[in-house]
């Protein structure tokens, strides 16, 4: 993974934050780049950051006994990658691998938590923005499950 300083607030992809919130988030972010097949993180490793995906795709997988690694979801531009930093024990529940050349803004989760605690208004705005993205992801998962388990015969 390649990183560097200097994120651009206008390009951070976390909807719902005002300009001041984007500026604060920008200060905690650095650009990241992964090549196809490169691991972003592995299941069970410490979760210390999250990413706002700009371009490309990242596959989330989990190890299934007897089946090996199984892709459970693929994320793309506009998605947030990495939620495990939000709750103890703060380890990754899945593995993430770049499916394509992928660009993202990497956010230091420890610094984000510290900034949110120091400025409750900022913390609330970030939690609202992250909650909206998480709820959208949950609804998309629900729709996929409904489609997967739909009864093609139409009877209950």
């Amino acid at each position: 993974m390649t990183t560097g300083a200097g994120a651009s607030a206008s390009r951070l992809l976390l909807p719902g934050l005002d300009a001041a919130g984007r500026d604060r988030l920008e200060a905690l972010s650095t650009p990241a780049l992964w090549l196809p097949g490169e691991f972003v993180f592995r299941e069970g490793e410490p979760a210390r950051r999250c990413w706002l995906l700009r371009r490309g795709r990242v596959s989330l997988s989990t190890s299934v006994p007897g089946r090996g690694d199984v892709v459970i979801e693929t994320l793309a531009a506009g998605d947030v990658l990495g939620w495990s930093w939000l709750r103890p024990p703060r380890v990754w529940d899945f593995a993430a691998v770049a499916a394509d050349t992928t660009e993202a803004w990497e956010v230091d989760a420890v610094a984000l938590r510290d900034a949110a605690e120091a400025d409750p208004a900022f913390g609330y705005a970030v939690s609202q923005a992250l909650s909206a993205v998480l709820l959208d992801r949950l609804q998309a998962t629900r729709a996929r499950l409904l489609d997967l388990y739909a009864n093609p015969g139409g009877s209950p």
Side-chain angles (χ1 to χ4, degrees), residues 63-114:
S63 181
V64 176
R67 292 188 60 199
D69 290 337
V70 176
V71 173
I72 57 170
E73 187 169 17
T74 300
L75 304 177
D79 287 327
V80 175
L81 170 63
W83 296 95
S84 297
W85 62 273
L86 283 167
R87 60 165 174 74
R90 292 183 172 73
V91 296
W92 298 120
D93 294 318
F94 306 107
V97 176
D100 302 319
T101 299
T102 303
E103 297 176 24
W105 295 122
E106 181 176 295
V107 180
D108 179 327
V110 174
L112 179 57
R113 278 194 308 267
D114 290 347

Side-chain angles (χ1 to χ4, degrees), residues 12 14-23 25 122 124-129:
L12 288 176
L14 191 57
L17 283 182
D18 62 14
R22 285 192 309 273
D23 289 346
L25 191 58
F122 172 68
Y124 180 76
V126 169
S127 69
Q128 290 298 303

